[in-house]
Amino acid sequence: MVLESTIVCVDNSDYMRNGDFIPTRLQAQQDAVNLICHSKTRSNPENNVGLLTLASCEVLLTLTADVGRVLTKLHQVQPKGSMRFLNGIRIAHLALKHRQGKNHKMRIVVFVGSPIEEDEKELVKAAKRLKKEKVNVDIVNFGEENANTEKLTALVNALNGKEGTSSHLVTVPPGPVLSDALLSSPIFVGEDGATAVPGMGSGGYEFGVDPNEDPELALALRVSMEEQRARQEEDARKAAVDSAAEGTVTPAATNEEALLEQAIAMSMNPDGSSVDPTPVASDPTMLTEEEQIALAMQMSLQNSASSTAQNTPAPMETDDLGLAGAEKQEEEEDYSEVMNDPEFLQSVIENLPGVDPQSEAVRSAMGSLTKKDDSKKDNNEKDK
């Protein structure tokens, strides 16, 4: 980006009242100056812009980076008198000599909308002096292009010399908007073809191509853009479908995992005791660190309990049927002795609530039990 200090010379002669540029030459010139000031400051934040009038040859604003101040002074300009072209150029050159950044290149942008009174020889002489001082000049010729084009062309040729291209002349005929006509001019477009005003390159046309000049290229660019947009929409739609499918499969898998873990927990409790009321998380990664530790301890305790139960030796089966029969007989004798004990039965009946031990029904029941036990004893004695 080029460091540059620029003085903008505006034509505020009485010719600026004409309406061949909408709405007037003066207001069309103000819009163009606005674009130029913004392009200079945006191309490099250290660039400076100043403002000068050609009718009164008055410096309205010295070099500054504040475009707002430039526009404020610009809108205060009113048409009066006639233009003094060379005097304005000399004063602009003097203002550039007093710039703060001595490493800045010097440029003068002149708007010419009224007839130039100076002859061509004086203009060429002034141009050679400016070239010697390394001052570049951009001229916007509008409104009176038939009278001024020849003189201004000679001026710019003298500034550029045989091989120079740093100074430019832009002639705008009546009809189009002055600011739009300047957007594609060398004043705005740099050597690389890029404009200094963002979003306004190549005359503001879509894709930077004028469809009137090259309709086939403009159509090809538009079709390519539409195809790219369609591909992006298709990719977005596929991504949405895939994410929805993943969202439907994940809950089912989570439920299966939860059921499996519940079944494992129930199998770890073969005695039918209730499982720990703490819910088993379907996704352990969703638990906090403390909950994961608690869950691991719970599962380890359950595993140790189940392994202990499995490792306990089962009682060995024996074929000693006589020993089993003897144990069974002893148990029956123990029960028979208890049932034959009247005192024990009497104490049990007395402790039962709502039972009267002295009633006839209770006495008859106890008597029948004692008789049955006596008969069993007799039979056993006979068998022996």
Side-chain angles (χ1 to χ4, degrees):
M1 295 183 292
V2 179
L3 290 173
E4 197 172 57
S5 294
T6 306
I7 293 291
V8 181
C9 302
V10 295
D11 188 351
N12 63 329
S13 64
D14 290 332
Y15 282 85
M16 295 297 102
R17 302 180 190 272
N18 293 346
D20 51 352
F21 285 86
I22 300 174
T24 62
R25 291 186 184 181
L26 181 62
Q27 294 181 12
Q29 180 182 228
Q30 290 175 349
D31 294 340
V33 171
N34 183 11
L35 284 178
I36 289 177
C37 293
H38 279 96
S39 68
K40 296 297 182 183
T41 55
R42 289 178 183 177
S43 62
N44 195 316
E46 297 183 8
N47 287 352
N48 297 321
V49 181
L51 190 63
L52 180 144
T53 57
L54 292 177
S56 58
C57 293
E58 178 185 1
V59 178
L60 298 180
L61 187 65
T62 57
L63 293 171
T64 179
D66 188 356
V67 180
R69 294 178 59 193
V70 178
L71 299 180
T72 301
K73 292 293 185 179
L74 179 63
H75 288 288
Q76 296 175 0
V77 175
Q78 297 297 327
K80 61 177 180 180
S82 59
M83 180 185 67
R84 295 183 288 175
F85 182 78
L86 283 181
N87 288 342
I89 295 294
R90 294 189 183 100
I91 296 173
H93 180 207
L94 184 62
L96 288 173
K97 284 185 176 181
H98 292 84
R99 67 192 185 280
Q100 293 181 353
K102 297 301 180 181
N103 58 337
H104 286 204
K105 292 185 177 181
M106 295 180 290
R107 183 174 294 276
I108 300 174
V109 179
V110 186
F111 285 83
V112 180
S114 55
I116 298 176
E117 298 178 356
E118 293 83 0
D119 59 9
E120 185 176 334
K121 292 183 179 180
E122 294 180 357
L123 296 178
V124 172
K125 185 179 180 179
K128 291 180 179 180
R129 188 179 302 111
L130 292 174
K131 180 182 178 181
K132 185 178 180 180
E133 297 290 337
K134 297 182 179 180
V135 179
N136 299 320
V137 180
D138 291 334
I139 300 176
V140 181
N141 181 23
F142 68 103
E144 302 293 332
E145 69 276 0
N146 294 329
N148 296 330
T149 301
E150 186 177 353
K151 295 180 179 180
L152 294 176
T153 301
L155 173 65
V156 172
N157 291 337
L159 285 167
N160 289 330
K162 294 182 179 179
E163 298 179 356
T165 58
S166 56
S167 297
H168 309 95
L169 171 63
V170 179
T171 301
V172 182
V177 180
L178 182 60
S179 58
D180 292 345
L182 294 178
L183 285 174
S184 57
S185 68
I187 297 177
F188 281 89
V189 180
E191 296 180 357
D192 56 352
T195 179
V197 182
M200 296 184 179
S202 301
Y205 297 112
E206 186 180 11
F207 312 116
V209 177
D210 186 0
N212 296 323
E213 295 181 357
D214 196 345
E216 295 180 358
L217 178 59
L219 179 60
L221 292 173
R222 186 176 295 105
V223 171
S224 176
M225 181 63 69
E226 292 177 357
E227 291 178 353
Q228 178 67 18
R229 189 180 297 110
R231 284 194 295 269
Q232 293 176 354
E233 292 177 355
E234 182 67 17
D235 294 340
R237 187 184 64 80
K238 290 182 179 179
V241 171
D242 294 341
S243 61
E246 292 178 359
T248 54
V249 171
T250 303
T254 304
N255 293 335
E256 291 179 359
E257 292 177 358
L259 294 174
L260 180 59
E261 292 182 1
Q262 290 180 1
I264 294 173
M266 293 177 65
S267 65
M268 291 179 179
N269 294 273
D271 56 348
S273 60
S274 60
V275 185
D276 188 0
T278 304
V280 179
S282 59
D283 190 2
T285 59
M286 300 298 294
L287 301 176
T288 61
E289 185 176 358
E290 296 178 355
E291 293 176 347
Q292 291 179 359
I293 293 173
L295 180 60
M297 293 177 64
Q298 177 185 353
M299 295 180 67
S300 64
L301 292 174
Q302 292 175 351
N303 291 334
S304 61
S306 61
S307 62
T308 303
Q310 293 176 357
N311 295 330
T312 303
M316 297 179 62
E317 296 181 358
T318 61
D319 296 333
D320 192 357
L321 298 178
L323 180 59
E327 291 178 356
K328 186 175 181 181
Q329 185 176 3
E330 291 179 358
E331 290 178 358
E332 292 178 355
E333 291 178 355
D334 292 338
Y335 282 113
S336 62
E337 290 179 357
V338 173
M339 296 301 294
N340 293 329
D341 189 357
E343 295 179 357
F344 173 75
L345 294 176
Q346 187 68 24
S347 62
V348 170
I349 293 172
E350 290 178 355
N351 292 328
L352 293 175
V355 178
D356 186 7
Q358 302 298 330
S359 62
E360 295 181 358
V362 173
R363 289 179 179 180
S364 61
M366 290 181 64
S368 62
L369 288 174
T370 53
K371 289 180 180 180
K372 291 180 179 179
D373 292 336
D374 293 339
S375 61
K376 287 182 180 180
K377 286 182 178 180
D378 295 338
N379 293 330
N380 292 332
E381 292 178 353
K382 290 179 180 182
D383 294 335
K384 292 179 180 179

